[in-house]
Amino acid sequence: MSLIAETAEIHGFIGACLVDTESGMMLDAVGGGKGKLDLEAAAAMNTTFIRAKREAMEVLQLDTNIEDILITLGTQIHLIRPLDRDQSKFIYVALDRKNANLGMARLQLKRIEEKVAV
């Protein structure tokens, strides 16, 4: 069974992946599909984004961790959530903005993240 299969239950779900930030490689994926969302590309690009944010936090001397990152697009919402137990990995979820409830999606993703064991 997929480590992040429950992400498909989030309203507006398009696709999700579990990513290792050290390699940029996907460890698991759900959804996406042909013509919907290239999860391999999303994993690589969001790895770059996470690394840049962590570098910025270091330069700013912010002694904290990223809880989640929200990116809102015209038709989609993207959530990036590093794992609490292993900050070198994160879950990325893309949602259809018309059908998603951002507050509920964040809560669901937090619950899912807490269950993921890698």
Side-chain angles (χ1 to χ4, degrees):
M1 185 171 146
S2 167
L3 295 170
I4 58 168
E6 287 182 56
T7 57
E9 297 171 15
I10 299 172
H11 287 287
F13 176 81
I14 297 171
C17 55
L18 176 64
V19 184
D20 175 37
T21 58
E22 295 182 16
S23 66
M25 301 295 292
M26 261 191 336
L27 303 174
D28 193 14
V30 179
K34 202 167 195 138
K36 283 192 169 195
L37 182 64
D38 182 345
L39 291 172
E40 290 279 351
M45 299 312 295
N46 286 314
T47 295
T48 302
F49 185 70
I50 287 272
R51 287 178 184 160
K53 186 59 187 170
R54 287 186 176 145
E55 186 177 323
M57 290 169 57
E58 189 174 312
V59 168
L60 296 170
Q61 298 178 345
L62 301 175
D63 187 24
T64 189
N65 291 322
I66 298 169
E67 184 175 323
D68 61 26
I69 296 171
L70 165 67
I71 301 165
T72 54
L73 305 173
T75 59
Q76 294 181 357
I77 295 172
H78 294 201
L79 288 170
I80 301 168
R81 184 169 182 91
L83 304 184
D84 276 340
R85 289 186 304 275
D86 185 352
Q87 289 278 305
S88 71
K89 305 200 177 36
F90 68 88
I91 301 173
Y92 161 77
V93 179
L95 306 169
D96 180 298
R97 192 169 174 173
K98 279 193 275 183
N99 299 315
N101 176 317
L102 178 57
M104 288 302 298
R106 288 184 72 219
L107 287 173
Q108 286 175 279
L109 187 55
K110 180 175 176 25
R111 280 191 222 117
I112 293 164
E113 175 267 324
E114 290 170 350
K115 295 179 191 176
V116 173
V118 278

